[in-house]
Amino acid sequence: MTVRGIDHVGVTVPDLEAATRFLIAALDAEVLYDTLPAEEGPVGGEETEQRLGVPPGTRQLAIRMLALPDGPGLELFAYDPPGRSPALPSDLGWQHLALYVDDLDAVRERAVAAGAHELAPPHPLPGPEAGPANRFAYLRTPWGSTLELVTYPDPQPYERQTSRRRWRPAPPRSAGEGEAGG
């Protein structure tokens, strides 16, 4: 058995269309398909409640799968009634989405222009992750979820202690790379 990586991250949003527009504008996400198109919902009842572990009376309004350019999918869910407020980093459970980016400043500016709120300017990665150009920034999406942008192009101190490395997407291919020649 081998875990190969993250396939997708599920995100509950208050407005599926607005969240889709933000993710396309901010992160170059692409809509792949609707598992539950809004016009076919809502879906609820005992089976849904048991399968998902949601409170009685909760109904799924829509489900959409998006793809990031070089990362896992983002599966958006809309529910009725909407859930509690978005998780903060101090809450229990999975509480933020971190995306590796090549140009942190450009992606941060794009996300802010698309409606994200920057919590603070980018910071250097600390301690075992440090390096001259290694940085991160936290933002809030328009619906209040925490989004981290991270880049670590320089070697990190932890790499001297182990041969195991953090996963990160492969660098982008140059134009024509991998194409058959003629």
Side-chain angles (χ1 to χ4, degrees):
M1 179 193 96
T2 301
V3 175
R4 297 196 43 207
I6 294 174
D7 177 74
H8 69 274
V9 175
V11 182
T12 299
V13 297
D15 182 326
L16 191 83
E17 297 305 327
T20 299
R21 286 190 301 273
F22 169 76
L23 293 166
I24 289 169
L27 305 176
D28 273 341
E30 182 179 337
V31 175
L32 294 180
Y33 52 84
D34 286 352
T35 307
L36 175 60
E39 60 274 9
E40 293 179 17
V43 174
E46 190 174 318
E47 191 276 330
T48 298
E49 295 162 6
Q50 182 180 21
R51 178 172 41 89
L52 300 174
V54 295
T58 301
R59 302 178 309 157
Q60 292 180 306
L61 299 177
I63 305 171
R64 175 172 291 155
M65 183 65 78
L66 289 84
L68 292 173
D70 289 307
L74 295 176
E75 188 175 26
L76 303 183
F77 294 84
Y79 284 95
D80 177 44
R84 301 169 299 209
S85 61
L88 298 176
S90 58
D91 292 333
L92 294 176
W94 295 318
Q95 38 82 356
H96 75 275
L97 172 65
L99 300 176
Y100 188 92
V101 298
D102 293 318
D103 186 337
L104 190 139
D105 294 316
V107 176
R108 178 180 50 83
E109 289 170 11
R110 185 174 173 173
V112 168
H117 171 73
E118 183 176 39
L119 297 177
H123 283 74
L125 284 171
E129 301 173 334
N134 299 349
R135 302 181 306 143
F136 74 102
Y138 276 83
L139 301 98
R140 291 265 193 268
T141 64
W143 59 90
S145 292
T146 303
L147 174 65
E148 178 184 3
L149 303 176
V150 63
T151 190
Y152 42 94
D154 293 323
Q156 298 177 307
Y158 86 89
E159 294 173 350
R160 293 189 297 268
Q161 310 302 316
T162 178
S163 61
R164 181 74 169 116
R165 299 293 181 260
R166 290 175 63 170
W167 178 88
R168 72 170 134 176
R173 289 196 270 178
S174 60
E177 186 179 333
E179 294 177 11

